[in-house]
Amino acid sequence: EAQVTQNPRYLITVTGKKLTVTCSQNMNHEYMSWYRQDPGLGLRQIYYSMNVEVTDKGDVPEGYKVSRKEKRNFPLILESPSPNQTSLYFCASSPRLAGGYFQETQYFGPGTRLLVL
Amino acid sequence: AQSVSQHNHHVILSEAASLELGCNYSYGGTVNLFWYVQYPGQHLQLLLKYFSGDPLVKGIKGFEAEFIKSKFSFNLRKPSVQWSDTAEYFCAVNAPRSSNTGKLIFGQGTTLQVKP
């Protein structure tokens, strides 16, 4: 089944304790992205990647890192989490189409709910 | 900067009532428009999208949306809601392919509660 998976789905941690949220897609998509969802703010893009070893900042990158060593995986790293990073995180992916552009419709993972105490 | 605004943050309806959720965007050029739905505890799913052509688009589960270019709007409608439509609805835009970095810009979301 074509899908985007995230792990863990729920995480409670403490301030300053490094954590990684994994994202994996089995659709061979070039484009992957991380969003955070906060009440009243919708979803905001954190980082995105257009291909292996190609990453760039979104709108709210502070406090986050990403890496794209393999096409299928795009982990989100919080080196020193803080309470303001308590949020619901979504990973998304889309393929590159003929002509080099990315498909406009993105596929979303199930979300990771993070609580930083 | 591009932005998306959803006017209704929380909507409560009875079953069989008609639904219209407002969405306005600000962007100087051509955009692609989406409505996503998030059912309780589930991930985002695409309801419908508009890229070009007929401004009235039909999506899944009886939803439709109308793109009105002069008003920069893309309102979502359903003639008769069901209890199972209880969910959060997000309007989103991104740039067309020529300048597409892939980023979706989302509105704040509208929580729809349908009472049986």
Side-chain angles (χ1 to χ4, degrees):
Chain A
E1 180 190 352
Q3 60 183 348
V4 179
T5 57
Q6 295 178 227
N7 281 292
R9 295 289 311 279
Y10 304 92
L11 180 61
I12 301 175
T13 189
V14 296
T15 299
K17 186 176 181 183
K18 181 179 177 179
L19 66 91
T20 299
V21 183
T22 65
C23 172
S24 183
Q25 49 91 8
N26 61 3
M27 297 170 280
N28 202 37
H29 287 172
E30 287 80 6
Y31 182 90
M32 297 186 75
S33 179
W34 276 103
Y35 295 86
R36 61 178 287 174
Q37 181 185 355
D38 301 292
L41 296 176
L43 283 80
R44 294 174 292 168
Q45 191 182 51
I46 304 171
Y47 268 95
Y48 65 94
S49 169
M50 293 196 181
N51 214 329
V52 175
E53 303 291 1
V54 180
T55 64
D56 209 345
K57 296 177 181 179
D59 293 322
V60 287
E62 295 77 19
Y64 304 94
K65 283 175 55 177
V66 292
S67 69
R68 187 90 182 274
K69 293 185 171 59
E70 306 164 280
K71 199 172 189 179
R72 64 183 292 127
N73 297 323
F74 190 45
L76 180 70
I77 302 155
L78 284 72
E79 294 271 3
S80 183
S82 62
N84 65 12
Q85 293 177 297
T86 292
S87 188
L88 178 58
Y89 292 87
F90 287 100
C91 182
S93 72
S94 68
R96 188 188 295 274
L97 304 171
Y101 303 117
F102 292 105
Q103 178 176 288
E104 295 86 347
T105 304
Q106 296 182 17
Y107 300 86
F108 284 83
T112 295
R113 192 170 289 280
L114 172 66
L115 173 61
V116 183
L117 300 173
Chain B
Q2 299 173 25
S3 67
V4 178
S5 177
Q6 292 180 239
H7 315 300
N8 319 100
H9 298 299
H10 198 153
V11 173
I12 302 173
L13 295 172
S14 298
E15 275 194 313
S18 64
L19 170 72
E20 180 159 2
L21 301 182
C23 173
N24 285 89
Y25 66 93
S26 68
Y27 184 65
T30 305
V31 293
N32 302 311
L33 297 152
F34 306 83
W35 275 97
Y36 281 87
V37 61
Q38 185 180 25
Y39 297 104
Q42 297 188 27
H43 62 281
L44 284 158
Q45 301 173 40
L46 182 67
L47 262 184
L48 47 80
K49 61 189 178 186
Y50 173 79
F51 294 166
S52 64
D54 188 344
L56 183 63
V57 292
K58 295 190 184 300
I60 60 172
K61 306 189 181 189
F63 286 91
E64 64 178 33
E66 184 176 13
F67 170 54
I68 303 180
K69 189 175 181 180
S70 61
K71 295 185 178 181
F72 297 89
S73 70
F74 190 55
N75 292 354
L76 181 71
R77 299 196 290 250
K78 186 170 184 178
S80 175
V81 294
Q82 300 171 310
W83 177 79
S84 58
D85 293 324
T86 294
E88 190 157 16
Y89 293 80
F90 293 95
C91 181
V93 305
N94 68 10
R97 293 178 181 181
S98 60
S99 57
N100 191 6
T101 63
K103 181 169 74 173
L104 279 167
I105 309 237
F106 285 86
Q108 306 93 319
T110 298
T111 301
L112 171 64
Q113 182 181 353
V114 180
K115 294 184 174 179

